[in-house]
Amino acid sequence: AQSVTQLGSHVSVSEGALVLLRCNYSSSVPPYLFWYVQYPNQGLQLLLKYTSAATLVKGINGFEAEFKKSETSFHLTKPSAHMSDAAEYFCAVSGPSRGGNKLTFGTGTQLKVEL
Amino acid sequence: DTAVSQTPKYLVTQMGNDKSIKCEQNLGHDTMYWYKQDSKKFLKIMFSYNNKELIINETVPNRFSPKSPDKAHLNLHINSLELGDSAVYFCASSQGGSWEQYFGPGTRLTVT
């Protein structure tokens, strides 16, 4: 079985500060890892994905994440937070599943950006 | 030009009623999914269809019955609605071996 754990259900940063959202995974097979963002009352949008290529993955809106197998981590970072980054962020893991690619999500991290 | 669309966006109904949520994707994908997001924002997969065939059924009560008339559509019918069914339901799609899923805007179901 696969799972992800997101540390910190709420993270607050100042505008311009570093954003760090933590995600640790558990998987018996090489995982595929994802970060999704959900803005209020909207669906999920893919920020970035790791699919066993480069361990440092760049996504949209200036976000990036690094896959660290030794630490079973896939933390999301952004050098400088913007007010528009305030949203709910979900880490997810996927693995082989007959026919469909089942995503297993973490519990989410609410990012608040303050002036 | 919406990629994955769902109707309705909001659905308020009483316990015991039967309701349906529709999902359509115009991305040409062959796999579609239903996810449930509860009040604590926890997302969990319910079903997956590949080329109209049910692939994943995550121990969802049989009051929930997905139907896929074609590759572009995946509807969710819920019988005898219960208070605990209140949630946001998301449809998603992907293409075969791709691991990238595209999500719809969600349907907020409230059962009173």
Side-chain angles (χ1 to χ4, degrees):
Chain A
Q2 298 178 304
S3 66
V4 289
T5 301
Q6 290 184 241
L7 297 174
S9 58
H10 292 81
V11 170
S12 184
V13 300
S14 299
E15 190 175 35
L18 171 72
V19 175
L20 171 60
L21 304 183
R22 299 177 188 274
C23 174
N24 288 88
Y25 70 89
S26 173
S27 177
S28 57
V29 297
Y32 286 179
L33 293 159
F34 306 81
W35 276 99
Y36 281 84
V37 60
Q38 184 179 25
Y39 297 102
N41 299 314
Q42 293 187 28
L44 282 81
Q45 182 182 7
L46 181 67
L47 272 179
L48 48 80
K49 62 180 185 242
Y50 166 76
T51 54
S52 74
T55 56
L56 181 61
V57 181
K58 293 188 185 298
I60 61 171
N61 301 338
F63 284 94
E64 63 181 38
E66 186 172 8
F67 173 73
K68 291 187 178 180
K69 185 177 178 181
S70 61
E71 298 178 9
T72 61
S73 68
F74 190 59
H75 301 332
L76 181 71
T77 60
K78 181 174 180 178
S80 177
H82 192 271
M83 296 296 289
S84 60
D85 294 327
E88 188 89 22
Y89 291 80
F90 293 94
C91 181
V93 62
S94 184
S97 176
R98 189 178 71 88
N101 301 328
K102 171 183 164 183
L103 280 172
T104 300
F105 285 89
T107 50
T109 298
Q110 179 79 42
L111 176 65
K112 183 178 179 182
V113 181
E114 299 173 318
L115 285 171
Chain B
D1 59 346
T2 305
V4 182
S5 60
Q6 296 178 227
T7 54
K9 188 168 175 64
Y10 299 96
L11 185 53
V12 181
T13 188
Q14 292 184 327
M15 284 175 53
N17 285 348
D18 304 338
K19 290 293 179 186
S20 291
I21 306 172
K22 295 185 176 182
C23 177
E24 177 181 0
Q25 55 94 4
N26 62 7
L27 298 167
H29 291 166
D30 60 3
T31 306
M32 296 184 72
Y33 312 79
W34 277 111
Y35 288 85
K36 179 181 179 181
Q37 185 175 45
D38 64 22
S39 59
K40 295 185 178 179
K41 298 201 173 178
F42 183 61
L43 273 155
K44 186 172 168 55
I45 191 166
M46 300 173 69
F47 301 104
S48 165
Y49 267 75
N50 178 260
N51 282 319
K52 302 194 299 175
E53 180 187 355
L54 180 64
I55 299 299
I56 297 173
N57 182 342
E58 287 287 304
T59 60
V60 177
N62 57 16
R63 296 184 296 104
F64 289 79
S65 52
K67 283 188 170 52
S68 182
D70 55 58
K71 285 196 314 182
H73 295 84
L74 180 61
N75 303 323
L76 183 64
H77 188 76
I78 315 170
N79 289 327
S80 303
L81 278 155
E82 301 177 356
L83 291 176
D85 298 331
S86 295
V88 181
Y89 293 85
F90 287 101
C91 177
S93 72
S94 69
Q95 177 55 35
S98 169
W99 299 90
E100 188 167 335
Q101 295 184 21
Y102 293 80
F103 283 76
T107 295
R108 182 175 294 276
L109 171 65
T110 303
V111 183
T112 62

